[in-house]
Amino acid sequence: MSTNLESRAPAAAGAPSPRKLLPRLVTGQEIVLIGIITVLWILLGFLTPAFLTPGSILPLLVAVAPIALVGVGMTFVIITAGIDVSVGAALMVCAVITAQTMVATGIPLVPAVLLSITVGALLGLVNGLLVAYGKIHAIIITFGTANIFLFIGLRLFGSSTVNGVPGTFDVFGRGAAGRTLGIPHSFAITLIVVAIAWWYLRHAASGRHLFAIGGNANAARLAGIKVKPLVLMTYVVTGALVGLAACFVIAQGTSTLDQSVGVGRELSVIAAVVIGGTSILGGRGSVLGTLLGAILVQTVTSGVTQLGWPSQLSDLFVGAAIIAAVGTDIVRERARRKS
C-alpha cells in the first residue's frame, strides 16, 4: 500500500546536493489516501446521511487531532528506524499529572499546557537517552518504559478517578468554545504542527539527516551526521507532542478523568503513521501521510459506529490496512536492494 517516497537519503549523506533530496510536494501514497478518504466519505454519506453533517465531522476532526499530533513525532522516530510503543502510557502520565494539578491549584490554560508538554518531553528524554546511547533496539526500550510509565500513571491515579477537572481545556474541546469559524482549535493546531514538521523534513539539513540515519546509521555517522543527538531529539519531540495531545484528550472528556486515558493510543498512532506511508524499516516517511492516515483510521472507526456494525470490524479493517502497508513496503524494499 505504501508507495510514498518522501525522501530516501543516500548512504553517504551530504554527497548529493540538498535539492536532489527534496521530495515531491504531494506523493503518490498521499494522493491514494486522499482518494480513499473521499470515496469513504461519499459512501458513508449515502449509507448514513448524518455522517456528512457538522455534528459528525467536527467530532471526527477533534478525535483525529491527538492521534495525528503524536503521529508527527512517531513519524520522526520511525524515519530513523526506531519506534515508540510507550506513547499511550506517557499520555496517561501527562494527563493525570496535569488534571490533578488543575484540580488542586486551578492553574490557567498556558501554564497547564506547558506543564503537560514538559512532563511529556521529560518522558521522551528518558526514552531518547536509552535508545540513542544504550545501544538497545527501540522496541525493547520503549516496551519497558511503557510498563514503567503505566505503573507511574496508575499510582498517580491511586485506583480512583480524577474528579472535578475544571474546564481549562474547553478551548480544545468539542463545544462552541473549542471552535473558530467552525474549525476545531485542536485540529487547527495539529495542522500547524504538521506544516512545520513537513517544512523541517523537507528543507532543514537536520530533517534530511533523519532520513539518512534511517537508511544507514553507520554511513550517516561516517558522513559527519550527529546520529545520537538527532535520535535523542526525535524522542523528546515525540514526548512533547504527547504532552500537548494529553491536553486535547482531557478536553474531549468530562470533568472526570479515568484510568483508561491513553489505553491503545499507541496502536492508533502507529497505524496512522504506517498507513500514511512511513516505512517501518526507516529512511522514508511523510507527516502529511500520517495526518491522512489518522483521518482514515478515525473515518473507519466513526463509520462503523454510525452504521451500527460491531466495533471489532474497525479493528479488522485497520489491521488489514496495516498488514497491506507493511507487506508492500517490505516487498518494495527487497526489490530495491536486488536492483
Side-chain angles (χ1 to χ4, degrees):
M1 177 176 177
S2 175
T3 58
N4 179 26
L5 283 171
E6 175 146 332
S7 179
R8 172 68 69 179
S17 65
R19 187 178 302 275
K20 292 181 180 179
L21 289 175
L22 293 180
R24 292 173 292 170
L25 293 177
V26 180
T27 67
Q29 173 72 14
E30 291 155 2
I31 293 173
V32 169
L33 285 173
I34 292 171
I36 292 174
I37 292 170
T38 301
V39 170
L40 277 178
W41 281 31
I42 292 173
L43 286 175
L44 289 171
F46 278 115
L47 295 174
T48 170
F51 179 82
L52 292 179
T53 63
S56 177
I57 297 298
L58 293 179
L60 185 150
L61 297 180
V62 170
V64 163
I67 301 301
L69 193 63
V70 179
V72 169
M74 187 71 76
T75 302
F76 284 13
V77 167
I78 294 180
I79 283 174
T80 63
I83 196 167
D84 187 351
V85 298
S86 71
V87 292
L91 191 147
M92 171 197 277
V93 175
C94 294
V96 66
I97 289 177
T98 304
Q100 288 180 341
T101 303
M102 289 192 297
V103 171
T105 67
I107 60 173
L109 175 65
V110 173
V113 171
L114 291 177
L115 171 63
S116 188
I117 291 175
T118 300
V119 172
L122 290 174
L123 298 178
L125 179 63
V126 172
N127 281 332
L129 288 172
L130 292 173
V131 172
Y133 296 94
K135 296 182 179 180
I136 302 175
H137 196 281
I139 195 168
I140 303 298
I141 292 294
T142 58
F143 183 75
T145 56
N147 284 276
I148 294 173
F149 297 162
L150 181 61
F151 172 79
I152 293 172
L154 292 175
R155 292 292 294 177
L156 290 171
F157 269 106
S159 301
S160 63
T161 59
V162 180
N163 300 311
V165 179
T168 308
F169 291 148
D170 284 351
V171 68
F172 302 136
R174 301 182 180 182
R179 302 193 298 268
T180 297
L181 301 177
I183 301 175
H185 297 151
S186 58
F187 187 72
I189 292 171
T190 300
L191 291 179
I192 293 172
V193 172
V194 168
I196 293 172
W198 178 88
W199 178 91
Y200 173 76
L201 290 175
R202 181 179 173 85
H203 295 289
S206 58
R208 297 195 298 274
H209 289 168
L210 297 182
F211 294 105
I213 293 170
N216 189 323
N218 290 328
R221 188 178 297 106
L222 292 174
I225 294 174
K226 297 179 179 179
V227 174
K228 291 181 179 179
L230 281 175
V231 170
L232 172 62
M233 178 272 294
T234 63
Y235 287 90
V236 173
V237 168
T238 301
L241 292 175
V242 167
L244 181 55
C247 300
F248 295 172
V249 172
I250 293 173
Q252 292 176 13
T254 60
S255 60
T256 299
L257 186 73
D258 62 39
Q259 298 177 19
S260 65
V261 62
V263 174
R265 298 275 179 173
E266 67 280 358
L267 301 179
S268 298
V269 170
I270 294 172
V273 174
V274 173
I275 292 173
T278 297
S279 173
I280 200 69
L281 302 175
R284 186 174 64 252
S286 163
V287 290
L288 177 56
T290 294
L291 173 63
L292 294 171
I295 293 174
L296 178 58
V297 169
Q298 190 58 44
T299 295
V300 171
T301 301
S302 298
V304 166
T305 299
Q306 293 195 26
L307 289 171
W309 294 351
S311 60
Q312 295 86 348
L313 284 178
S314 63
D315 297 330
L316 174 64
F317 295 148
V318 172
I322 293 173
I323 293 173
V326 173
T328 301
D329 184 57
I330 291 174
V331 170
R332 186 178 57 249
E333 183 66 16
R334 289 177 178 173
R336 186 189 69 82
R337 291 179 179 178
K338 289 180 180 179
S339 61

